Every structure is written in structure tokens, then in C-alpha cells.
């Protein structure tokens, strides 16, 4: 599934971002759970729509994590100035 591959890549990219891992642990944990569900659906030969659904949700969760991290970094910069 292209959506699953995209979600996996986005997750790996976010995991390598120190700001994301430091500021969005809960969101990244949820993204990992959704990726695990998507991967399990693929292994279980679920309908492609089910795999894509969970992959999409995982990708969105990664974006939420990235945005939350960006907000936290900005807040820290404001507080330091």
C-alpha cells in the first residue's frame, strides 16, 4: 500500500527529529499504534481500504506530532527571549 509506505516513512522521519521525540511522545506513540494496526491489517490480508484507513490515520498523527513539536519549540524560544 502506497499510503502505508508513506506513513512509515513519515514516522521514521519524525522519529529522527529530536524536537518531535522530545515534545510529542504521546502523539508518536499513537502514530506507532496506528501503524502497527495498518501493518497487522496488511499481514492479515484485510481489504486494502482497511490498511489505507489506518495508514492515513497514522500519517495524520505524525503530522500532529510534528506540529505540536513546532509549537513547543516556538513557545520555548519566546520564553527564552
Amino acid at each position: 500500500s502506497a499510503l502505508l509506505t508513506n506513513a512509515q516513512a513519515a514516522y521514521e522521519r519524525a522519529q529522527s527529529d529530536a524536537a518531535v521525540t522530545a515534545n510529542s511522545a504521546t502523539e508518536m506513540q499513537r502514530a506507532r499504534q496506528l501503524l502497527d494496526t495498518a501493518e497487522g491489517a496488511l499481514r492479515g490480508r484485510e481489504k486494502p481500504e482497511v490498511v489505507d484507513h489506518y495508514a492515513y490515520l497514522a500519517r495524520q498523527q505524525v503530522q500532529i506530532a510534528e506540529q505540536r513539536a513546532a509549537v513547543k519549540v516556538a513557545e520555548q524560544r519566546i520564553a527564552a527571549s
Side-chain angles (χ1 to χ4, degrees), residues 3-5 11 17-20 29-30 33 35 37 40 42-44 52-53 55 62-64 70 76-77 79:
L3 280 176
L4 180 54
T5 301
Y11 179 84
D17 184 332
V20 174
Q29 180 182 14
R30 180 67 181 135
Q33 291 170 341
L35 269 179
T37 301
L42 183 65
R43 283 190 305 274
D52 286 349
H53 171 74
V62 169
Q63 287 182 324
I64 290 167
Q76 291 165 358
R77 285 186 185 146

Side-chain angles (χ1 to χ4, degrees), residues 74-81:
E75 288 173 345
Q76 291 165 358
R77 285 186 185 146
I78 291 169
S81 61

Side-chain angles (χ1 to χ4, degrees), residues 55-77:
Y56 172 80
L57 292 176
R59 178 69 181 97
Q60 294 301 105
Q61 193 64 41
V62 169
Q63 287 182 324
I64 290 167
E66 291 170 332
Q67 290 301 310
R68 180 174 294 264
V71 168
K72 293 279 188 179
V73 168
E75 288 173 345
Q76 291 165 358
R77 285 186 185 146

